[in-house]
Amino acid sequence: MPGFTKPVRVIFGPEHDAFRVSVRAMLAREAAPRAEKWLADGVIDRGFWKTAAAQGFVAFAAPAEYGGLGLADFRFNAILDEEIVYAGVGTDAFMMANDIVGPYLWDLANSEQRERWLPGVVSGDTVLAIAMSEPGAGSDLRGMRTVARRDGDHYVLDGSKTFITNGIQADLVIVAAQTHVGDRDRISLFVVEAGAPGFGRGRSLHKIGRHAQDTAELHFDGVRVPQENVLGEVGSGFGALMRNLPQERLAMAVTAIADAEHVLERTVDYAQQRRAFGQPIGSFQANRFAIAEMVTEVRIGRSYVDDCIMRHCAGQLTAAEAAGAKYWATELEWRVVDRCLQLHGGYGYMEEYEIARRWRDARVQRIYGGTTEIMKEIVGRSVGL
Ligand SMILES: Cc1cc2nc3c(=O)[nH]c(=O)nc-3n(C[C@H](O)[C@H](O)[C@H](O)COP(=O)(O)OP(=O)(O)OC[C@H]3O[C@@H](n4cnc5c(N)ncnc54)[C@H](O)[C@@H]3O)c2cc1C
């Protein structure tokens, strides 16, 4: 019986296809058997992370002289992100290292900092986090209250961050804080190392979904950060965030389309098998039309996001295009996952069914990395409004 199949993609070459095969094999061998434990522990284990790193799947864009592969082709990142979603192992760890936090290090760190930090990131010994959001400032990043005051050859960091992915595990945290530059407060980035006096972590936050991923509050109480740990120029942090957030948002769009495709594929199967009133539930016109709409929209989304991937590889993706891709793809993901859960009836609400967990996990996609509303602000401003 024909079903929904993922569309043929034209953006990949043989080297990407081979990479996908090896990622898939690694996840089946190393991640799938551990996934239940990760959900129970609320965190992935270091052993897995180091194994994945040893096989070249962590920080592969880092320059070769620091142990990376110098593989600065976002198609590899996208493949890894997609395969994590298809495997359903529920970790954001690769996205954090490869797409979101790592790039700050290979773009902004000076050679001494690269030497200190990159080998550990590439080997999987050093887990990364980035701390922008605060209890009182998420969307409005310029409103952050964490401050860093100059004191001799150190900066003294005071404030709190919240919702920080990898917050429990991180060995290095890039912290955004206000610094007084000239006569104005400007955001700067500081690398805080685990164990620094005054650096505290709250409990692992209890989330609706993404239970295999740790998320935490972080506290900085007079943390003395040496000036060697300032990342980039003092006062240039906001610009660095604006340069790096488009890749973060594109990665989220990539995972959103992959999730929608996966859920749809499973749901079409289910709608062919499950019967009511003497016929498969997928053959009722209301359901057939709902599925037809989702199939069409997911294919449209796939084309658009693939186009964004290629524009990003060519260095042409704008902040507004990334914002548009992020909000449209994650809103689509949510509509698809929710509609597909409905097509599963009561079974969709049961933990044994994969769709239940995917529904819980999908919800945050419209919030983190910048909410749908903020993404629309960026798109709107880009056309002069
Ligand atoms: C699981 C998870 C992981 C996260 N990981 C990280 C991380 O690793 N690092 C990090 O720094 N942050 C992280 N975040 C934080 C995330 O980026 C913020 O939650 C998000 O940007 C929204 O900020 P907020 O929660 O303060 O909401 P608010 O800014 O308080 O927004 C509340 C509501 O108001 C709306 N709103 C705000 N401003 C406007 C406006 N101008 N126009 C219209 N509507 C508006 C928002 O869209 C939203 O609906 C994470 C969050 C979650 C839930």
Side-chain angles (χ1 to χ4, degrees), residues 13 35 79 161 188 209 316 372:
I79 288 167
K161 298 289 180 179
S188 303
Q316 293 170 348
T372 289

Side-chain angles (χ1 to χ4, degrees), residues 112-383:
E112 182 277 323
Q113 292 172 330
R114 288 171 169 219
E115 246 161 63
R116 251 190 306 144
W117 295 325
L118 289 188
V121 176
V122 173
S123 66
D125 288 296
T126 304
V127 171
L128 300 173
I130 185 158
M132 299 173 268
S133 306
E134 302 188 351
S139 302
D140 179 15
L141 280 178
R142 283 191 200 271
M144 67 176 62
R145 304 279 293 276
T146 298
V147 292
R149 282 173 293 102
R150 183 86 196 236
D151 181 20
D153 53 5
H154 281 70
Y155 282 84
V156 181
L157 205 57
D158 282 290
S160 289
K161 298 289 180 179
T162 195
F163 306 139
I164 305 308
T165 304
N166 279 350
I168 295 293
Q169 288 225 56
D171 303 290
L172 290 183
V173 184
I174 299 177
V175 182
Q178 301 283 7
T179 38
H180 209 59
V181 181
D183 57 351
R184 294 179 59 189
D185 280 344
R186 288 181 189 274
I187 292 170
S188 303
L189 302 180
F190 299 88
V191 177
V192 176
E193 301 180 18
F199 170 30
R201 307 173 202 248
R203 68 196 159 82
S204 190
L205 296 170
H206 191 50
K207 306 189 290 294
I208 293 178
R210 304 219 169 221
H211 292 154
Q213 180 60 59
D214 59 312
T215 310
E217 281 190 2
L218 304 178
H219 306 289
F220 305 92
D221 184 9
V223 177
R224 293 183 68 77
V225 183
Q227 64 182 12
E228 296 77 42
N229 282 23
V230 176
L231 197 57
E233 294 289 309
V234 172
S236 68
F238 193 75
L241 298 178
M242 294 306 113
R243 274 197 308 282
N244 281 278
L245 281 167
Q247 174 162 301
E248 169 170 347
R249 290 169 181 157
L250 176 60
M252 288 167 178
V254 166
T255 60
I257 296 294
D259 193 34
E261 278 175 341
H262 177 89
V263 163
L264 198 48
E265 202 172 22
R266 296 296 163 96
T267 303
V268 169
D269 282 351
Y270 186 82
Q272 286 168 338
Q273 309 303 329
R274 177 74 180 171
R275 298 177 74 83
F277 300 96
Q279 62 191 87
I281 56 141
S283 67
F284 296 113
Q285 192 183 54
N287 297 340
R288 197 164 63 236
F289 278 18
I291 290 171
E293 286 167 13
M294 291 189 285
V295 166
T296 308
E297 286 186 64
V298 168
R299 292 212 160 116
I300 294 168
R302 162 59 64 215
S303 297
Y304 181 59
V305 171
D306 275 359
D307 182 59
C308 288
I309 291 172
M310 293 313 287
R311 289 176 58 68
H312 186 48
C313 289
Q316 293 170 348
L317 186 73
T318 66
E321 286 165 343
K326 196 262 176 185
Y327 99 69
W328 197 84
T330 58
E331 293 288 335
L332 173 66
E333 175 189 21
W334 178 250
R335 285 197 304 279
V336 168
V337 171
D338 190 54
R339 191 72 183 87
C340 286
L341 188 149
Q342 187 73 13
L343 283 162
H344 280 74
Y347 293 101
Y349 202 64
M350 299 296 128
E351 282 294 331
E352 301 93 292
Y353 278 72
E354 185 190 9
I355 184 75
R357 187 177 62 71
R358 286 189 182 266
W359 182 80
R360 279 203 312 268
D361 288 356
R363 185 61 183 83
V364 75
Q365 291 261 77
R366 299 160 60 208
I367 299 171
Y368 64 13
T371 63
T372 289
E373 294 73 26
I374 296 300
M375 297 304 97
K376 289 182 180 174
E377 280 293 323
I378 294 171
V379 177
R381 281 200 297 266
S382 76
V383 294

